[in-house]
Amino acid sequence: MKPVIARTREELAAARARIEGTLAFVPTMGALHEGHLSLMREARRNADTVAVSIFVNPLQFGPGEDFDRYPRTFEADIEACAGEGVDLVFAPDRDVMYPDEPQVTIKSGPMGEVVEGAARPGHFDGMLTVVLKLLNLVRPDVAVFGEKDAQQLAMIRRMVADLNVPVRIIGGATVREPDGLALSSRNRYLSEPERRTALALSRALRAGAEAAADGPEAVLGAAGAVLDKAATADPPLALDYLVLVDPATFTPAAGGGPAVLAVAGRVGATHLIDNVHLQLGKEH
């Protein structure tokens, strides 16, 4: 059975009014893959009803990024949602989400200016703005976001806490291909040679995690060695960043305790990110 599809705010409000019990929400930009489907299953485990949004948000794409070519596969996405028993899909056009040029938006603050935010200025401002708009429109009890975008997840949790948004945020584990590549809608951009190079990202994370017992320098050294080799591959990996950070603040991690090893790079024209959670001072 296909989900109810709401295209306008009025259609969404009418569908939301009919929902009884608890509602879990999975915001997406479409081009759905197994990673998204795993978030829908997590949503189902945490609520009576599941809603998904499909909206490619222009505010979080910078100049020269891939907004125009970002994959849009709406019919296949609806079939995927139906296969997971999703009850409601909100699929607005740009004019529905932004009927006027936004004058008031969310500022991501210092956490939005480091790591991925330094590589993509303004990205997190646009992401947080659309997430808050969606949460206000859908009014879920629970919202589920992927841990692959670790900084995004941390910033959404901070926004919800700082602005007293009445929703519980849940992180869904990263889903990987058998060879370790993290699932991403952008993976479809990669040629076979580019995909082989892209595997260096997950290999670097594994190498860093295996060195967690020896502290931050060992983690970054082990991961960096893998990425240095990938920089000379054909085609090469152009590294954007490799950082070891506190999972809640994304400030540099030091000493023992929980940390996120995060990496991003470009293979050809494709920007890819990945991360792993680890415990510094302990075997991973």
Side-chain angles (χ1 to χ4, degrees):
M1 184 173 176
K2 287 192 175 183
V4 173
I5 300 173
R7 291 283 195 173
T8 67
R9 297 185 186 200
E10 292 76 15
E11 290 173 352
L12 175 63
R16 181 67 180 88
R18 293 192 294 269
I19 292 173
E20 298 180 355
T22 54
L23 174 62
F25 177 44
V26 182
T28 83
M29 293 205 299
L32 303 180
H33 51 65
E34 180 60 31
H36 296 110
L37 304 188
S38 73
L39 302 182
M40 297 174 198
R41 293 172 202 138
E42 183 65 29
R44 177 63 68 192
R45 286 190 286 270
N46 284 273
D48 303 312
T49 304
V50 174
V52 169
S53 64
I54 299 173
F55 178 66
V56 183
N57 176 38
L59 264 62
Q60 65 194 70
F61 289 79
E65 293 189 346
D66 59 342
F67 174 74
D68 289 332
R69 73 178 185 123
Y70 194 86
R72 291 160 171 86
T73 58
F74 184 73
E75 293 303 324
D77 292 344
I78 294 300
E79 291 297 329
C81 289
E84 294 300 327
V86 169
D87 303 286
L88 170 64
V89 173
F90 180 42
D93 290 333
R94 179 172 181 160
D95 289 346
V96 171
M97 289 302 295
Y98 304 110
D100 301 297
E101 189 66 25
Q103 298 294 310
V104 178
T105 59
I106 298 294
K107 179 67 175 173
S108 57
M111 198 191 306
E113 297 169 357
V114 298
V115 192
E116 186 73 4
R120 302 177 67 191
H123 166 70
F124 287 118
D125 295 352
M127 179 277 294
L128 291 175
T129 296
V130 80
V131 167
L132 184 58
K133 286 171 71 71
L134 288 167
L135 292 176
N136 285 334
L137 288 166
V138 177
R139 295 180 289 113
D141 301 284
V142 176
V144 186
F145 296 85
E147 291 179 351
K148 184 178 79 71
D149 297 301
Q151 189 172 5
Q152 170 180 282
L153 178 57
M155 297 197 67
I156 290 168
R157 283 178 166 147
R158 186 58 188 258
M159 177 185 73
V160 164
D162 286 352
L163 301 183
N164 303 112
V165 183
V167 63
R168 180 164 62 97
I169 302 299
I170 295 176
T174 301
V175 178
R176 299 181 180 277
E177 299 280 5
D179 58 11
L181 185 68
L183 289 183
S184 168
S185 299
R186 290 186 169 96
N187 288 353
R188 66 189 68 197
Y189 297 159
L190 299 171
S191 67
E192 280 301 316
E194 289 172 341
R195 195 181 186 288
R196 287 194 293 272
T197 295
L199 291 174
L201 296 174
S202 58
R203 286 201 301 268
L205 295 178
R206 286 198 300 272
E210 289 169 1
D214 298 322
E217 289 188 9
V219 170
L220 291 170
V226 175
L227 298 170
D228 287 344
K229 186 175 181 180
T232 64
D234 183 20
L237 171 71
L239 183 67
D240 287 329
Y241 57 79
L242 172 68
V243 295
L244 187 65
V245 294
D246 180 279
T249 65
F250 269 67
T251 55
V260 171
L261 180 62
V263 64
R266 296 181 185 275
V267 185
T270 305
H271 176 73
L272 298 169
I273 65 173
D274 203 349
N275 71 83
V276 66
H277 287 254
L278 47 81
Q279 288 282 335
L280 293 172
K282 293 184 179 181
E283 294 288 345
H284 184 70

